[in-house]
Amino acid sequence: MFFAQLKNELWKLFGKKRTYIGFGAFVVAQTAMLLMFKYTRWQGQFERLLAGNGYLASEYISALTVAVVMLVPQILLLMPLYVTLTGGDLVAKEAEDGTLRMILSRPISRVRLLLVKWVAGTIFSAVLVLALGAIALGFARLLFPWKNMFVFGELPHQIFGLFPPGEGLELYVFAHLFMTVNAIAMLSVAGMFSCFNMKPAAATILALSFLFLSMVMEHIPFFETYQNWFITYHFAAWVLVFQTPVPWPQIFQSEILLLATSATAFVIGALAFQVRDIKS
Amino acid sequence: MIQLTNVSKKFAGRIAVDDLSFRVARGEIFGLLGHNGAGKSTAIGMMLGQVWPTGGEVKICGHDVQSNRRAALMPVGAIFETPVFYDYLSGARNLEILSTYTAPTSKARIREVIEWVGLTGRAQSKVRTYSHGMRSRLALAQALLPKPELLILDEPSDGLDPEGIHEMRQTILRLQRELGLTILLSSHLLNEVEQLCTRIAVLQQGKKVFEGNVADVKSARGKVTLKTSDFANAAKVLSARGLITATEKEKYITLSEGRSIAEVTQALVAAGIAVDGIWQHEQTVEDFYLNLIKAAAKS
């Protein structure tokens, strides 16, 4: 029965057009960035950087390199927006539309209903992130060759990283798996707010505000020693896969903390949802 | 089938339902009447486990809704005012989705219900293309899917045109006749309640101010219409003989316990008062409701 409910929850989620706005926005943004990289001075700057460090630019300006370049701004801007939009809708949209009242006239428990919705949201987040990665790589491959990977500027303890294509692809996949965990944490925070008596837009705005506040505080020098306490600090774990050697224990610590944050958000949301009155 | 015992609900200090108790027996159509904000929807919300009571107990088929929600709501179907669905999906898909919240439901059952409500041919169309009447029929279909024994209808005719109201009324009667369902109906349409319900309860500001049979309400036991040219004198004579207890609007008399219209007629003729007409008064539920609300407001 759980899987039948999950299947139907996914029908609801993927059946509406607004779900695809996020995918559409990603495709547009990625196309724009790809064309900018190819036809502006951006590519030239990369080539000079590689040549200045003694590497052949023609060996490293590849589909994998460009895919990572295209990803970063979208991970920072578009992904949180669309994932929190979906999370904010989880319960609040159904409550606003009135369909929640119809569902809750049936013998399903609220916790079960929320769990089904949360799992569906998790699947949506994973599909969104993985599609984002696949589309970025696919588009980049259209204009750039399949060669070595060059990652620059995002690594905490080194300037850049260089990888052969096979290893680069492997790390690219790992990076997306970890980004999926980021997306799940963002969805869970928005979903938690959605369980309270508020409009879906309010839940989304609150979740984005929470993430923004966490990011700002994490970068205030006073809080430097407390960075571990901020959720956004752990969102950077995906970049660490491009560090040499890969700091797996640090990455897994961050992933566990993000999953624990998601679980906590789910429990708080479930409690709020359980005690509230559902009225027309 | 439904049993509310001393149920109360407060919202932020405001009492929405106050010490409400009533029972709905298997097979009856029970009407819940009251003005906007009287507490009807809150009471229905508590019956469906959507609103948590502040006090009291709500049982459906003997199961407490709060502590044993699954068993209590298993045999229940519900329709709310202004039926809402996932507009971007088909009617059939909506039914499939909603059925999974109760129990596994076969495609054959979904088809059967679609046919019963007369939506065959439009079941695969997106709900956004449905008229209000079709949405109401789809709402009925989703309520019937789990083969309920009890149907809770919260303002089911809200927003329907006269034809739609008539159709809904006929459907409710058909549900009781053909499927033997117990029905709790909340409605503003007093005429509808009069035609459908066997018993009613009237709520005012969260309190129950009346509960009884519609037949009793209509017969207004003891109230008689008397047409005579000298009503004041007639009333005097009848009071003196202990035949009546009250008069109203120079038109109605209320018979004393055990007295009959024949005795009244005889007394008036004996006193030389011409009787132009005398008959048992039958009031509408609307008259009854309005009088009751007025009296309750005064007290």
Side-chain angles (χ1 to χ4, degrees):
Chain A
M1 203 59 187
F2 181 85
F3 289 104
Q5 288 165 350
L6 179 61
K7 187 188 91 181
N8 286 324
E9 209 57 52
L10 290 169
W11 261 112
K12 285 198 259 175
L13 198 57
F14 286 96
K16 55 184 167 188
K17 279 182 188 155
R18 65 186 276 174
T19 301
Y20 298 98
I21 294 172
F23 290 95
F26 279 136
V27 171
V28 170
Q30 284 177 338
T31 310
M33 290 191 68
L34 185 68
L35 295 175
M36 276 165 66
F37 189 86
K38 177 82 178 167
Y39 297 109
T40 66
R41 281 183 293 178
W42 198 353
Q43 187 176 344
Q45 285 168 358
F46 256 72
E47 285 170 356
R48 276 193 296 281
L49 184 75
L50 280 161
N53 284 283
Y55 296 100
L56 270 176
S58 58
E59 286 302 309
Y60 288 95
I61 301 293
S62 67
L64 280 165
T65 301
V66 178
V68 175
V69 170
M70 286 158 63
L71 272 178
V72 175
Q74 293 176 60
I75 296 300
L76 289 175
L77 297 171
L78 285 181
M79 191 183 82
L81 183 65
Y82 289 113
V83 169
T84 52
L85 264 174
T86 306
D89 275 4
L90 274 186
V91 174
K93 186 80 174 85
E94 294 235 34
E96 186 183 58
D97 291 348
T99 44
L100 187 62
R101 208 175 162 212
M102 199 160 55
I103 294 172
L104 288 180
S105 67
R106 296 177 173 274
I108 185 170
S109 76
R110 295 189 193 192
V111 174
R112 168 76 170 254
L113 178 64
L114 186 64
L115 181 67
V116 173
K117 287 184 167 296
W118 188 76
V119 174
T122 298
I123 292 171
F124 168 82
S125 305
V127 170
L128 187 74
V129 172
L130 299 177
L132 169 70
I135 293 168
L137 192 58
F139 275 28
R141 183 67 187 88
L142 290 175
L143 295 181
F144 294 93
W146 186 254
K147 285 189 175 174
N148 297 321
M149 184 189 209
F150 170 62
V151 181
F152 167 72
E154 295 299 324
L155 308 174
H157 301 298
Q158 62 191 71
I159 308 289
F160 56 80
L162 298 158
F163 309 96
E167 189 186 348
L169 180 64
E170 201 175 290
L171 295 176
Y172 186 80
V173 171
F174 270 118
H176 280 81
L177 292 178
F178 297 140
M179 274 191 273
T180 301
V181 179
N182 292 3
I184 291 169
M186 292 174 197
L187 177 113
S188 302
V189 172
M192 175 189 75
F193 288 121
S194 176
C195 292
F196 289 84
N197 191 8
M198 64 175 71
K199 299 266 180 203
T204 300
I205 291 167
L206 271 174
L208 284 172
S209 307
F210 171 78
L211 296 177
F212 183 70
L213 190 70
S214 169
M215 191 177 70
V216 169
M217 289 179 75
E218 176 206 334
H219 288 99
I220 294 174
F222 177 79
F223 291 109
E224 204 171 321
T225 49
Y226 303 105
Q227 275 181 331
N228 261 309
W229 292 91
F230 299 106
I231 183 175
T232 44
Y233 172 76
H234 300 285
F235 284 165
W238 72 273
V239 186
L240 299 179
V241 299
F242 297 115
Q243 201 165 300
T244 313
V246 180
W248 291 112
Q250 192 187 340
I251 292 173
F252 283 119
Q253 187 192 38
S254 286
E255 297 308 311
I256 289 166
L257 277 162
L258 288 173
L259 290 173
T261 306
S262 305
T264 308
F266 176 81
V267 171
I268 295 171
L271 284 171
F273 188 38
Q274 181 66 24
V275 298
R276 78 181 258 211
D277 292 319
I278 310 296
K279 287 210 73 194
S280 54
Chain B
M1 201 79 186
I2 303 177
Q3 188 181 347
L4 270 73
T5 314
N6 307 117
V7 174
S8 302
K9 178 66 190 177
K10 275 185 190 172
F11 289 112
R14 184 182 65 83
I15 298 171
V17 171
D18 190 7
D19 200 25
L20 177 64
S21 300
F22 65 79
R23 274 165 167 265
V24 179
R26 190 174 286 273
E28 74 175 334
I29 304 183
F30 188 88
L32 205 52
L33 292 177
H35 55 84
N36 284 333
K40 303 188 299 290
S41 290
T42 305
I44 286 178
M46 289 191 282
M47 288 175 220
L48 293 170
Q50 298 169 346
V51 174
W52 299 104
T54 317
E57 191 183 54
V58 182
K59 281 187 173 179
I60 291 185
C61 296
H63 303 286
D64 188 296
V65 176
Q66 279 178 272
S67 61
N68 198 0
R69 178 189 170 82
R70 185 157 185 83
L73 295 185
M74 205 52 141
V76 179
I79 300 178
F80 305 102
E81 74 274 43
T82 335
V84 271
F85 291 95
Y86 306 104
D87 280 8
Y88 51 92
L89 300 174
S90 69
R93 173 69 65 193
N94 268 278
L95 293 182
E96 199 179 312
I97 287 172
L98 291 164
S99 70
T100 57
Y101 297 121
T102 304
T105 308
S106 66
K107 290 217 185 299
R109 173 66 187 157
I110 293 175
R111 273 198 303 275
E112 184 190 345
V113 169
I114 287 170
E115 201 180 311
W116 203 93
V117 298
L119 276 178
T120 314
R122 289 302 307 274
Q124 298 307 324
S125 307
K126 291 217 161 81
V127 174
R128 73 162 69 95
T129 64
Y130 282 18
S131 65
H132 192 92
M134 287 169 75
R135 280 166 186 264
S136 293
R137 278 191 260 165
L138 188 63
L140 184 62
Q142 65 80 26
L144 292 178
L145 267 179
K147 295 190 177 170
E149 294 167 41
L150 167 68
L151 212 52
I152 294 178
L153 312 174
D154 189 3
E155 311 275 0
S157 304
D158 203 42
L160 291 176
D161 57 22
E163 273 183 4
I165 293 172
H166 177 76
E167 191 186 315
M168 178 58 80
R169 201 179 293 154
Q170 294 310 311
T171 307
I172 292 170
L173 288 171
R174 199 179 143 209
L175 285 167
Q176 198 213 21
R177 200 175 51 238
E178 291 181 15
L179 306 177
L181 299 184
T182 306
I183 296 170
L184 182 130
L185 169 76
S186 144
S187 179
H188 284 301
L189 303 173
L190 299 169
N191 184 35
E192 180 174 84
V193 170
E194 186 172 337
Q195 290 183 45
L196 291 174
C197 297
T198 41
R199 276 196 325 128
I200 56 168
V202 180
L203 300 186
Q204 196 192 23
Q205 290 170 342
K207 271 185 182 290
K208 185 179 78 180
V209 289
F210 175 80
E211 182 185 350
N213 293 323
V214 171
D216 291 345
V217 165
K218 284 164 80 173
S219 71
R221 240 177 274 172
K223 197 168 177 181
V224 170
T225 305
L226 173 64
K227 275 182 87 177
T228 172
S229 52
D230 190 0
F231 188 88
N233 199 21
K236 211 165 143 186
V237 168
L238 294 172
S239 293
R241 295 190 181 189
L243 291 170
I244 60 169
T245 55
T247 61
E248 194 186 322
K249 293 180 189 169
E250 299 237 318
K251 188 175 174 187
Y252 305 116
I253 52 175
T254 306
L255 300 186
S256 301
E257 193 66 36
R259 298 300 190 167
S260 66
I261 290 178
E263 285 176 277
V264 169
T265 315
Q266 233 171 14
L268 291 174
V269 171
I273 299 168
V275 177
D276 299 324
I278 184 165
W279 62 90
Q280 181 77 45
H281 173 74
E282 190 175 274
Q283 69 176 346
T284 60
V285 171
E286 185 171 301
D287 293 335
F288 170 78
Y289 174 80
L290 292 173
N291 287 334
L292 188 72
I293 293 298
K294 264 185 221 163
K298 271 183 198 166
S299 65

